[in-house]
Amino acid sequence: MSMPLTEAAIEARYQSSFGRAAGYLPRDRKAVDAWQVELVQRARAQLAGQHVKPVQELADLLDRETDLRDRVTRTIEGALKLHPGGVRNIDEMLTCLDEITQTAPHYRLDPRQRIYFPMSALFCYMMAVKDDGWELFRDQRFNDALRKILKAWCVFLDSEESRYVLYDGPDGWLSQAAYEDFKLYEFEVDPDAPYGGFASYNAFFHRPIKPEFRPNGALHDLRAVVSPNDGSVVMAYANVQKDADILDIKHQRYSLRKLLSKYSGIDSFVGGTVFQSFLSGANYHRWHAPVDGVIEYKETVEGLMFSELYSKQVDPTAGTLSQGYQANVNTRGIVVIKSTSPDIGKVCVIPVGITEISSVTITAEVGQRVTRGDEIGYFSYGGSSMCLVFEPNKVDFTVPTGVPGTVTDDGAPIFVNSTIARAK
């Protein structure tokens, strides 16, 4: 068994994690430690209770698959060496998952206390355990069981019961601090209605934006490509190939065969460019058509959720190196638009779910004609990224993309309906 990470190494890995970069986990790791202690104490007081259905299914899986159970146990033991206040055994982990599926995230004024990704916070140290931890979250059996649990949480967050955090008190999402922090004045929020007029927490999370805050200045510019999402640029990766090694942290690659799943028109994108951006928790979480055209293909791929790029190195770019890897393997949507501007060709829109929920909803239909700026889908609660795939030699980018093939954690901001590229 390999030795666990040192305190300095786990701190560096935590600070470079996607959840910390996205603001869903606090800047101060001690806040995660305290939160874990509190969650585990609540779990220990309820160990005699019944599990929710998908958590019980995970328990049954671990009873049947002894090799998987042994790996979970070793991972928990390794995590305890990094944080002694975490879960001590599988039963406590399962009960913590029960608790999470029935809880909505509160707003926190203090950034050091923001635990907006509870499963990421629960698995924070487990994911950092060398070998066993990395492999556990790649294990399809464990991943599929977690997906069912996440879907149960999503059902709760889609329900009226989840609205209890939508209020104007200090820890409420409708507080004055939250209004300014998350620029709620840009969104369709009714401050005079109960719960801001939202039917659920998820309805609040993927709330519509007021059109005047995302004007479409390129509506009549047929050569323009507009951003499908709010966020910041991660990278533009040129000459993408059908098959590529995606596990080398120094030379992060996209594999079209993995990225585009079952889409039969992969060959038209070989040699093209992948443009990837990152969405923070404060960003608008609906996505729009980047070009005028017809929806040729759509698919939702159920992939991994908590898997990180395998490397002995710490990602110094606050989770952005892993985003290229995650685009290849994570839960994601695939929407191919055949542009009515022949100079642009086909454009593939790939919303990527990361960690919690990993839920993408495609609202556009195959055969539907769309105009740039039309809404085509949204993320439910959770981390997210977005890829656009262009055919070769079709566009020039009008936003800074940094050094070709490299990534950044402080990329240029982009906004829905703003021009990001033009036909050559």
Side-chain angles (χ1 to χ4, degrees):
M1 183 181 298
S2 60
M3 295 298 292
L5 296 175
T6 64
E7 174 66 19
I10 186 60
E11 176 66 18
R13 190 168 295 278
Y14 174 80
Q15 292 299 333
S16 71
S17 69
F18 176 83
R20 210 285 302 153
Y24 288 110
L25 292 177
R27 300 168 191 164
D28 187 352
R29 185 164 56 94
K30 292 180 181 177
V32 175
D33 295 351
W35 178 89
Q36 277 199 7
V37 169
E38 180 189 4
L39 179 66
V40 169
Q41 287 176 344
R42 293 202 307 269
R44 288 171 183 165
Q46 301 177 39
L47 283 178
Q50 294 292 318
H51 293 308
V52 299
K53 185 174 183 292
V55 175
Q56 183 59 54
E57 290 175 355
L58 173 57
D60 294 341
L61 171 68
L62 296 178
D63 284 341
R64 293 194 308 272
E65 308 286 345
T66 56
D67 65 314
L68 180 59
R69 184 179 184 88
D70 290 345
R71 170 156 277 161
V72 174
T73 297
R74 291 195 303 269
T75 302
I76 290 173
E77 290 172 349
L80 281 171
K81 294 177 182 178
L82 303 173
H83 173 46
V87 296
R88 297 175 302 184
N89 52 54
I90 288 175
D91 286 341
E92 288 186 357
M93 179 191 75
L94 294 172
T95 308
C96 286
L97 291 171
D98 284 325
E99 182 81 10
I100 288 170
T101 63
Q102 301 168 74
T103 306
H106 275 92
Y107 172 73
R108 289 289 185 263
L109 179 61
D110 186 346
R112 295 170 298 178
Q113 297 179 353
R114 291 179 175 175
I115 308 289
Y116 295 157
F117 271 20
M119 284 185 71
S120 292
L122 174 64
F123 294 142
C124 174
Y125 292 101
M126 291 176 65
M127 293 170 69
V129 174
K130 290 183 178 180
D131 299 330
D132 279 319
W134 268 316
E135 293 303 326
L136 175 62
F137 291 98
R138 294 175 192 268
D139 191 296
Q140 200 64 52
R141 298 166 297 175
F142 192 65
N143 183 78
D144 290 349
L146 291 182
R147 181 185 298 112
K148 292 180 180 179
I149 296 170
L150 288 171
K151 285 184 176 180
W153 191 39
C154 191
V155 169
F156 173 77
L157 295 179
D158 279 334
S159 72
E160 291 185 352
E161 286 77 12
S162 67
R163 295 189 299 181
Y164 67 92
V165 295
L166 304 180
Y167 67 102
D168 60 4
D171 289 334
W173 288 99
L174 302 181
S175 64
Q176 185 63 36
Y179 256 86
E180 299 299 329
D181 201 359
F182 286 82
K183 299 181 179 179
L184 295 185
Y185 49 82
E186 294 185 354
F187 296 87
E188 300 288 353
V189 180
D190 184 353
D192 297 323
Y195 310 108
F198 295 105
S200 66
Y201 180 81
N202 259 340
F204 166 77
F205 180 74
H206 49 63
R207 55 197 174 272
I209 201 164
K210 296 174 182 176
E212 61 266 31
F213 286 99
R214 295 297 181 273
N216 193 338
L219 185 61
H220 303 296
D221 182 355
L222 297 181
R223 301 181 67 80
V225 177
V226 301
S227 177
N229 62 287
D230 282 10
S232 58
V233 177
V234 172
M235 73 176 93
Y237 191 95
N239 196 28
V240 62
Q241 296 300 303
K242 185 180 295 185
D243 295 291
D245 175 11
I246 64 170
L247 301 181
D248 183 344
I249 196 169
K250 292 182 180 178
H251 302 94
Q252 177 62 54
R253 291 174 172 86
Y254 298 89
S255 163
L256 286 173
R257 195 181 300 279
K258 291 182 171 66
L259 195 65
L260 301 184
S261 185
K262 300 175 184 176
Y263 177 59
S264 61
I266 288 177
D267 288 347
S268 63
F269 291 104
V270 173
T273 301
V274 177
F275 176 89
Q276 186 162 10
S277 58
F278 159 77
L279 288 78
S280 76
N283 286 138
Y284 173 51
H285 273 75
R286 292 174 180 264
W287 8 286
H288 297 240
V291 294
D292 297 346
V294 177
I295 305 295
E296 179 184 273
Y297 178 86
K298 77 170 189 176
E299 179 187 357
T300 300
V301 180
E302 291 191 334
L304 300 177
M305 294 164 297
F306 292 92
S307 178
E308 296 179 333
L309 185 69
Y310 186 86
S311 174
K312 294 180 180 179
Q313 304 174 45
V314 171
D315 178 355
T317 62
T320 53
L321 280 174
S322 277
Q323 287 189 64
Y325 160 76
Q326 288 162 334
N328 288 282
V329 302
N330 273 32
T331 293
R332 60 199 179 277
I334 300 171
V335 181
V336 180
I337 303 175
K338 186 176 182 179
S339 173
T340 49
S341 171
D343 292 335
I344 296 176
K346 296 178 183 179
V347 179
C348 187
V349 182
I350 305 178
V352 182
I354 299 176
T355 64
E356 266 78 342
I357 298 300
S358 293
S359 176
V360 296
T361 300
I362 302 170
T363 55
E365 298 294 339
V366 172
Q368 178 181 341
R369 183 174 292 274
V370 293
T371 300
R372 69 199 67 201
D374 287 351
E375 184 181 314
I376 58 175
Y378 58 86
F379 289 107
S380 291
Y381 188 67
S384 44
S385 187
M386 175 68 75
C387 289
L388 295 178
V389 187
F390 297 95
E391 294 179 347
N393 302 312
K394 289 293 186 180
V395 301
D396 290 318
F397 294 104
T398 60
V399 294
T401 58
V403 179
T406 63
V407 300
T408 178
D409 61 347
D410 58 354
I414 56 175
F415 301 92
V416 164
N417 292 335
S418 64
T419 300
I420 58 171
R422 289 181 56 79
K424 286 182 177 290

